[in-house]
Amino acid sequence: MNTILRIIEAFKNFLLEIGELSDFAGRFFKEVFKPPLEFKEFLRQCYNMGNRSLLLVGVTGFIIGLVFTLQSRPTLQQFGAVSWIPAMVSVSIIREIGPIITALICAGRIGSGIGAELGSMRVTEQIDAMEVSGTNPFKYLVVTRILATTLMLPILVFIGDGVALLGSFLVENLKGDVSLLLYFTQVFNHLEFFDVIPSTIKTFFFGFAIGLVGCFKGYYCKKGTAGVGLAANSAVVFSSMLLFIIDFIAVFVANIFYDV
């Protein structure tokens, strides 16, 4: 009986959190078009989230390209389909692997950072001080960070995809003596707009979800300094789960239009 009550309580808290997150998103859309535009803070957040995540995204993308090609090559050799490696790798990375892996990395790197930063500002009453001084903390802290993640994540995905393809080319060059021109000619010959456009559109939603959840967890942080760590951890877990849900919806909708 106690187990059932705990499950019901957990489900109730989950629904309440979804409602609070939806209300938080609605407040964002109300505030985003109101002056003043915190353009300098927006640019600073773009630099912090984009430039400082670049190395991590690049290294991860390069390793993904290497590993994916190394794992796929022996199987395709058995069927005499080694020439299809550039096409298979490029479509797989650009359609699905690149966007979701980069988004998960950014959820850990950026989402936790936002949650911890805003959480520490909440427990040290810096946000309350901004309200007292007449500054709109939601506009300055939340709107700029959500816009920055929404803009920077697609750029990071493009870079990660490109580096992953370079890693795949390196394997093909060493194993099969394939030139750079031949490899990328096969890549672009097999890529279509349907491979690029839906995967690009969903990265904006990925970035929005990461920024929204990170800001939500940090902005309403409680329980003192212990809550800062909890806000950072829950921001990563919640945003990662949300990324998979968004990815499923994006793939489902894209396949409907593609079948038509």
Side-chain angles (χ1 to χ4, degrees):
M1 188 66 181
N2 291 332
T3 304
I4 296 175
L5 290 176
R6 282 197 294 267
I7 293 174
I8 294 173
E9 185 67 21
F11 184 69
K12 177 183 175 182
N13 293 334
F14 176 75
L15 293 179
L16 287 173
E17 194 164 23
I18 292 295
E20 291 172 356
L21 183 63
S22 301
D23 182 67
F24 192 78
R27 185 179 175 186
F28 164 78
F29 286 111
K30 290 179 182 178
E31 295 283 351
V32 69
F33 299 108
K34 292 181 180 179
L37 300 175
E38 303 290 351
F39 192 66
K40 288 184 179 180
E41 177 65 12
F42 167 70
L43 291 180
R44 190 175 73 86
Q45 292 302 322
C46 286
Y47 173 79
N48 289 337
M49 297 173 186
N51 184 65
R52 296 183 179 179
S53 303
L54 194 58
L55 180 61
L56 181 60
V57 169
V59 171
T60 305
F62 187 73
I63 294 174
I64 288 172
L66 287 175
V67 172
F68 191 46
T69 307
L70 284 171
Q71 292 285 357
S72 303
R73 188 176 177 83
T75 303
L76 292 178
Q77 274 183 329
Q78 296 178 1
F79 296 96
V82 178
S83 61
W84 282 91
I85 288 180
M88 184 197 69
V89 171
S90 61
V91 171
S92 300
I93 288 176
I94 290 176
R95 264 195 174 190
E96 188 61 34
I97 298 176
I100 193 65
I101 294 297
T102 304
L104 288 173
I105 291 170
C106 291
R109 160 68 176 80
I110 298 174
S112 62
I114 293 175
E117 184 182 11
L118 295 189
S120 62
M121 294 181 71
R122 171 62 72 182
V123 299
T124 56
E125 299 182 351
Q126 295 181 49
I127 295 178
D128 297 331
M130 292 177 67
E131 292 176 345
V132 172
S133 64
T135 305
N136 186 349
F138 193 94
K139 182 79 173 181
Y140 185 81
L141 298 174
V142 174
V143 173
T144 54
R145 282 164 173 78
I146 295 178
L147 288 177
T149 55
T150 305
L151 176 65
M152 294 311 298
L153 190 68
I155 298 175
L156 290 172
V157 168
F158 278 131
I159 295 172
D161 289 349
V163 175
L165 291 178
L166 286 176
S168 176
F169 158 73
L170 182 62
V171 174
E172 280 298 283
N173 182 259
L174 295 175
K175 295 281 189 178
D177 196 23
V178 177
S179 67
L180 181 68
L181 179 62
L182 176 60
Y183 181 87
F184 280 96
T185 298
Q186 293 182 357
V187 166
F188 289 114
N189 282 343
H190 290 89
L191 280 176
E192 300 177 356
F193 278 107
F194 179 76
D195 300 320
V196 179
I197 299 302
S199 61
T200 301
I201 293 174
K202 70 182 179 182
T203 56
F204 287 97
F205 290 96
F206 287 167
F208 177 78
I210 293 171
L212 181 70
V213 173
C215 290
F216 171 73
K217 293 294 185 179
Y219 198 78
Y220 294 117
C221 176
K222 299 177 181 178
K223 299 180 181 179
T225 54
V228 176
L230 182 62
N233 181 63
S234 58
V236 176
V237 174
F238 202 88
S239 59
S240 298
M241 181 182 66
L242 196 57
L243 288 175
F244 286 113
I245 295 174
I246 294 172
D247 189 44
F248 168 74
I249 295 173
V251 172
F252 184 76
V253 172
N255 285 335
I256 291 176
F257 286 101
Y258 182 73
D259 292 338
V260 172

